[in-house]
Amino acid sequence: MMQMSQNSGTIPARMKPQKSMSQSERKIEHPFLKSLKRHWQLYLLVLPPVLYLLIFKYMPMAGVQIAFKNYSVVQGIWGSPWVGLKHFETFFNTPNFWLLLKNTIGISLYTLIAGFPIPILLALALNELRTGYFKKTVQMVTYAPHFISTVVMVSIIILMLSPHVGVVDRLFTFLGMTMTNFMGIPEYFKSIYVWSGVWQGMGYSSIIYIAALAGVDPSLYEAARMDGASRIKKIWHIDIPSLIPVTVILLILNLGSIMGVGFEKIYLMQNPLNTSASEVISTYVYKVGLIGANFSFSSAVGLFNSIINLVLLILVNAVSRKVSKNSLW
């Protein structure tokens, strides 16, 4: 009895009431730090792309100010005197301004009109193929040109179209036609540039459309087959509607970069005979800025080009959001 009374007078440690901690004594952890500790592998994975954007995309933006300065290598970016919009006015008043604008917009629109629908048509055609070997062969043949470097591609174009030795010239001669220097005629430059680019990039560009078609619910095709729908009707009522969101996003991106004609291929295809049709803003900036060492003027031209692209991107995105309910943001 004495032992029981002694034990009953003591309260086990686990039964003792714990003291409540005040709000100041509690250690409140920030949600970001908590997420960082829990998912540190994912943050480590995304760190290199973020550093790449900061170092090579955002930090160089500080150099845009030389477009408003009379840049001097000796004085540097920060020490060069301000001249305001002088270089922009010089570019707008140059005799080549309208020619550069016409060539840049003309080649971009031609590329968009000719090259944008073809990957969609190729994806729709490949989606209808049922023979695995033939489908893989077509995919390989159409994808392969994308991996040819631009220098090699331009060399192939020049060799094929060269007078006397080119395959095209020999074919024309065999058919009794006169010899034609295609690379020396300005009227042919845009077509040669655009259609060679379509041939090179249509297979690779169709991958995203093929991926979108692969996500279509198979029950839709089964229901259409039971209703007796033909292939054309299945494409029109199932495949094309499923491609509209992806198509709209890519169209917005293409229209937003309509002033950004690629430099390398056009510059390699240029010669003194076709300059009137091949001189675009990117090649002009290279010649004036790097070769002519007029860095401020070329920066002003490049900044003008980038601003036009940004304005077009915002406008096209706004129009697409109102019309089709699909947009980038």
Side-chain angles (χ1 to χ4, degrees):
M1 294 292 292
M2 185 181 296
Q3 186 177 0
M4 292 178 60
S5 61
Q6 290 177 355
N7 293 337
S8 61
T10 60
I11 301 176
R14 61 181 182 180
M15 300 294 293
K16 291 182 179 180
Q18 296 181 357
K19 296 181 178 179
S20 59
M21 297 175 63
S22 62
Q23 187 70 18
S24 59
E25 293 177 349
R26 293 178 182 175
K27 185 178 180 182
I28 302 176
E29 190 174 14
H30 195 275
F32 174 73
L33 296 177
K34 187 177 181 180
S35 176
L36 183 62
K37 290 180 180 179
R38 180 177 299 178
H39 308 292
W40 65 270
Q41 299 94 338
L42 298 178
Y43 285 100
L44 185 63
L45 185 65
V46 80
L47 182 61
V50 172
L51 291 177
Y52 169 78
L53 289 175
L54 291 175
I55 296 173
F56 296 102
K57 300 298 181 181
Y58 284 94
M59 290 179 61
M61 286 184 183
V64 174
Q65 60 182 302
I66 68 175
F68 306 94
K69 290 186 173 184
N70 190 11
Y71 176 70
S72 172
V73 179
V74 178
Q75 295 176 336
I77 296 177
W78 306 103
S80 300
W82 289 90
V83 294
L85 301 176
K86 174 184 175 182
H87 300 299
F88 293 92
E89 295 175 356
T90 304
F91 175 59
F92 296 152
N93 295 325
T94 186
N96 295 327
F97 172 73
W98 292 109
L99 177 65
L100 295 172
L101 200 62
K102 183 186 74 172
N103 290 341
T104 303
I105 296 177
I107 293 176
S108 295
L109 288 177
Y110 192 177
T111 303
L112 183 64
I113 294 172
F116 191 78
I118 291 180
I120 301 176
L121 297 176
L122 178 61
L124 292 172
L126 290 174
N127 190 57
E128 291 298 319
L129 290 178
R130 297 294 178 263
T131 306
Y133 178 78
F134 180 73
K135 183 177 181 179
K136 292 179 180 179
T137 304
V138 173
Q139 287 178 318
M140 183 187 67
V141 171
T142 55
Y143 294 172
H146 172 78
F147 301 98
I148 302 175
S149 67
T150 306
V151 177
V152 175
M153 177 59 64
V154 174
S155 300
I156 293 173
I157 294 172
I158 293 175
L159 288 175
M160 291 185 66
L161 299 178
S162 295
H164 302 294
V165 297
V167 176
V168 177
D169 179 68
R170 289 179 176 273
L171 179 61
F172 279 21
T173 305
F174 177 77
L175 297 175
M177 301 180 182
T178 57
M179 181 187 65
T180 304
N181 183 11
F182 291 95
M183 296 299 296
I185 301 176
E187 290 78 10
Y188 293 163
F189 178 83
K190 291 183 177 65
S191 296
I192 296 172
Y193 173 85
V194 170
W195 290 108
S196 61
V198 170
W199 170 74
Q200 186 178 10
M202 65 178 181
Y204 191 80
S205 300
S206 66
I207 294 177
I208 189 169
Y209 300 109
I210 295 174
L213 291 173
V216 178
D217 189 357
S219 62
L220 297 176
Y221 294 110
E222 295 177 2
R225 192 179 302 110
M226 292 178 64
D227 291 339
S230 62
R231 284 193 174 186
I232 300 298
K233 289 185 178 181
K234 286 189 291 184
I235 292 173
W236 183 259
H237 294 287
I238 299 176
D239 293 341
I240 293 180
S242 65
L243 292 178
I244 287 178
V246 177
T247 304
V248 170
I249 297 300
L250 293 178
L251 183 61
I252 293 173
L253 293 175
N254 287 333
L255 288 173
S257 60
I258 199 169
M259 297 287 289
V261 181
F263 159 77
E264 187 178 5
K265 185 178 178 181
I266 288 185
Y267 184 74
L268 292 173
M269 292 177 63
Q270 273 186 355
N271 59 56
L273 297 177
N274 62 24
T275 307
S276 60
S278 62
E279 190 74 283
V280 293
I281 292 178
S282 58
T283 58
Y284 182 75
V285 168
Y286 169 75
K287 293 175 182 178
V288 174
L290 295 181
I291 298 179
N294 194 347
F295 302 108
S296 294
F297 180 74
S298 62
S299 298
V301 177
L303 182 59
F304 165 77
N305 192 24
S306 300
I307 292 175
I308 296 298
N309 282 333
L310 177 61
V311 172
L312 287 175
L313 179 62
I314 295 174
L315 290 177
V316 173
N317 185 77
V319 172
S320 175
R321 187 171 59 249
K322 288 185 177 181
V323 174
S324 65
K325 307 301 180 182
N326 294 309
S327 60
L328 292 175
W329 65 85

